[in-house]
Amino acid sequence: MANVTDNLNQKQKKAATHVCGPMRVIAGAGTGKTRVLTHRIAHLIANGHAKPTEILALTFTSKAANEMAERVAGIIDADTTPETFTFHALGAKLLRNHADQLPISQDFTIRDSQQTRKITKEATKAASHNPQEWSPKDTASFISRQKSAGQTLQDFRESVADDTGLAPAVLEIWPIYKRKMREQDSVDFADLLLLTRKLLAENEKIRSYYQNRWRYLLVDEYQDTNVLQADVISLLADEENNVFVVGDGDQTIYSWRGATRENIISFDSEFPNAETVILNQNYRSTEHILQAANDVISQNPNRHEKELTAQGQAGDKLQLKTATNAKHEAQLIVQEAGSSTPDNWAVLYRTNAQSRVIEEALLSADIPYEIAGTSFFDRKEVRDLLAYIRLSLNRDADADRRRIINRPRRGVGDKTLQRVLDGEKDQISSRRQKKLKRFRKLLDEIEQTINQKPPSEAILDIIQKTELVDFYDDNTYERKKNMQELASMAANFDDQFTGGTEAMQAFLQNVALSSDQDRIEGSDGVQLMTVHAAKGLEFPHVWICGLEDGLFPQKQDEYVEPDEEERRLFYV
């Protein structure tokens, strides 16, 4: 037997060498959960229990999925690695493979949260509701939460017949939103899994195919799964139930977007005869930090009892700083960060609104900083360029058409655009018809370029064809560099190009599914970020600000456990 688990501790080795049947690994923070996952995969392959292609590993970020595949390859020195996906990437793969079974085409567009909010706003107006009164952001989040909880529109109708709150308005907005998404051949993140569940649940042949293909299922961060994701796992599991999940209910911090720690707590009910291993040897933090964390989380009921123990020394004691107000606190941060290397510092806050006063203080002190997780893909010029690419490949994408029809300016007004969207082209003047014809010709040229050139070269050509650089009045040089950087990113997909649009479609999907964690990279200066964004990261010095009642802990809404969630967030 290959000794791929020799460097694991006793509990890690017990988990990694598990072969048949379901297993739940309760892995406290810093206890080596990724090592257990990768060594378990390596053990299955090295000892002939499974071929790499028979193993499916699911994570929550593309970065984690790629790292897992690389680590496994390093352990067993194999050319072939298991299939590793994020949940959404898996959903996209299955939906594209079996689009003929669903109300979408194989080339459907994935809409991110910003785009879905805009479509929700259109649906709100179409339902005769005022977007100022019915926030598209809140409505889109509400609909997403219902889907993540496994509810279809019909399920929601049946469950809220007597509701007098937000539900009646949502009942009018949701069907219109759904219709607009279908008309634009688009899906949102929740649809990727809702439709995947439908596909697997209703088609026994397809379900059996994937159950036989992936005999071993492994899931990272299982405490962050929602009802829908757990349903997909259950449908993919075969009779042997070789489901191996790693997580920690104490680290469930995404209840507000549908995550439920009930999935990991009741895992042995969903999968009878499941074995459980608890990892509590921490390799990351010092004794003083772990003692504080243990004291906080022990106040929460209904959890797997464990106490993290330190591998290293006691370390420095935690410091409590008292400030009179937010500006005073920012000055204290500046004093600490300015007296050492700024790169070693991370400042964590509960809400993004807290960063402004800290930024002002750092700027005044001439201390470099970066707001971690700020999305490259949210920059105006990048979104515009991506909209051109998507619209050229999907002419039904009205959300993209609205965005770029006048970027650069073409003299196409709102009324003309609405007539185009409503199919009333005979109501448009001949002068504007000519402008629209030139726009369509540009889209044809872009589509032809995508068909003929690999993604990176195509994007560089599209930058020239659209003349976007000359459109912007500010930061022209920086915006041009950002668009060129998009082309550089696309170069990772050039080797998939064989003619046609598949390589560009793969790049667009990768962009749509990139998460905040995928975007966080090390950089110069103090790192500013929310406590949610900091999960799983490490820094030499950390300042947690705003520890006051009502801010952190924050008063939570009706969708999450109030105090328990805030304790888990501080613990993480």
Side-chain angles (χ1 to χ4, degrees), residues 223 249 252 259-265 301-303 561 568:
Q223 79 281 346
T252 301
T260 171
R261 66 194 181 98
E262 187 61 30
N263 287 343
I264 194 164
I265 290 174
N302 190 25
R303 53 182 290 268
E561 308 156 311
R568 291 194 293 268

Side-chain angles (χ1 to χ4, degrees), residues 462-477:
I462 294 167
I463 293 171
Q464 299 299 320
K465 290 179 183 297
T466 58
E467 299 180 352
L468 277 171
V469 175
D470 298 328
F471 165 66
Y472 304 110
D473 297 328
D474 61 332
N475 302 323
T476 303
Y477 176 79

Side-chain angles (χ1 to χ4, degrees), residues 135-179:
S135 163
K137 180 180 179 180
D138 292 344
T139 304
S141 295
F142 184 89
I143 293 173
S144 180
R145 279 198 298 269
Q146 305 313 306
K147 291 180 181 179
S148 295
Q151 285 203 320
T152 63
L153 175 57
Q154 184 57 38
D155 295 332
F156 183 66
R157 282 197 181 105
E158 295 172 359
S159 67
V160 297
D162 300 321
D163 198 297
T164 58
L166 179 64
V170 173
L171 281 173
E172 297 172 348
I173 296 169
W174 191 344
I176 300 173
Y177 169 79
K178 182 178 179 180
R179 188 189 74 236

Side-chain angles (χ1 to χ4, degrees), residues 57-70 84-86:
L58 294 172
T59 71
F60 277 85
T61 69
S62 298
K63 187 177 181 180
N66 294 334
E67 287 180 356
M68 188 179 297
E70 291 171 3
T84 55
F85 296 97
T86 64

Side-chain angles (χ1 to χ4, degrees), residues 50-327:
K51 299 175 183 177
T53 53
E54 293 177 320
I55 301 171
L56 172 66
L58 294 172
T59 71
F60 277 85
T61 69
S62 298
K63 187 177 181 180
N66 294 334
E67 287 180 356
M68 188 179 297
E70 291 171 3
R71 286 198 193 187
V72 171
I75 296 170
I76 59 176
D77 193 24
D79 294 330
T80 305
T81 57
E83 298 196 71
T84 55
F85 296 97
T86 64
F87 276 96
H88 291 123
L90 174 69
K93 178 182 176 67
L94 267 58
L95 298 186
R96 294 195 194 280
N97 286 349
H98 306 284
D100 59 330
Q101 304 291 317
L102 300 161
I104 51 176
S105 79
Q106 190 177 39
D107 296 326
F108 63 82
T109 299
I110 301 171
R111 296 294 176 187
D112 63 23
S113 56
Q114 188 176 120
Q115 294 163 345
T116 56
R117 284 198 293 270
K118 288 185 177 180
I119 297 173
T120 302
K121 184 176 182 179
E122 295 172 16
T124 302
K125 291 179 178 178
S128 300
H129 289 289
N130 185 348
Q132 299 296 321
E133 297 177 6
W134 299 95
S135 163
K137 180 180 179 180
D138 292 344
T139 304
S141 295
F142 184 89
I143 293 173
S144 180
R145 279 198 298 269
Q146 305 313 306
K147 291 180 181 179
S148 295
Q151 285 203 320
T152 63
L153 175 57
Q154 184 57 38
D155 295 332
F156 183 66
R157 282 197 181 105
E158 295 172 359
S159 67
V160 297
D162 300 321
D163 198 297
T164 58
L166 179 64
V170 173
L171 281 173
E172 297 172 348
I173 296 169
W174 191 344
I176 300 173
Y177 169 79
K178 182 178 179 180
R179 188 189 74 236
K180 285 182 175 291
M181 291 289 280
R182 293 292 178 266
E183 289 173 350
Q184 298 184 42
D185 194 24
S186 297
V187 299
D188 57 32
F189 292 154
D191 287 333
L192 288 170
L193 296 175
L194 199 63
L195 291 173
T196 296
R197 186 185 68 173
K198 175 182 173 67
L199 177 72
L200 295 172
E202 298 180 0
N203 194 309
E204 183 178 356
K205 183 178 179 181
I206 292 175
R207 183 173 67 253
S208 295
Y209 168 78
Y210 287 109
Q211 287 177 341
N212 292 327
R213 175 176 173 176
W214 294 315
R215 294 176 46 237
Y216 289 90
L217 308 178
L218 296 93
V219 187
D220 192 12
E221 304 284 11
Y222 197 66
Q223 79 281 346
D224 289 335
T225 56
N226 56 39
V227 171
L228 205 48
Q229 290 160 335
D231 285 349
V232 170
I233 292 297
S234 295
L235 287 165
L236 287 172
D238 62 11
E239 293 180 357
E240 294 181 350
N241 279 338
N242 290 325
V243 180
F244 185 94
V245 304
V246 178
D248 179 12
D250 289 339
Q251 297 185 61
T252 301
I253 60 173
Y254 296 111
S255 298
W256 50 274
R257 68 183 187 194
T260 171
R261 66 194 181 98
E262 187 61 30
N263 287 343
I264 194 164
I265 290 174
S266 62
F267 180 80
D268 49 354
S269 298
E270 178 67 23
F271 297 97
N273 303 317
E275 292 188 48
T276 297
V277 173
I278 297 179
L279 306 181
N280 64 341
Q281 181 67 63
N282 180 282
Y283 294 92
R284 178 190 303 163
S285 302
T286 62
E287 184 179 331
H288 286 305
I289 290 175
L290 294 182
Q291 186 59 56
N294 288 329
D295 288 347
V296 169
I297 203 63
S298 65
Q299 305 302 311
N300 275 4
N302 190 25
R303 53 182 290 268
H304 289 99
E305 290 293 336
K306 66 180 182 304
E307 183 163 320
L308 298 180
T309 58
Q311 173 74 7
Q313 300 176 346
D316 296 331
K317 290 185 177 181
L318 281 69
Q319 296 183 45
L320 176 63
K321 302 278 188 177
T322 302
T324 55
N325 53 40
K327 286 187 177 181

Side-chain angles (χ1 to χ4, degrees), residues 114 116 260 317 352 373 415 461 482 523 571:
Q114 188 176 120
T116 56
T260 171
K317 290 185 177 181
N352 283 307
K415 289 184 179 180
D461 274 8
N482 287 336
S523 61
Y571 170 79

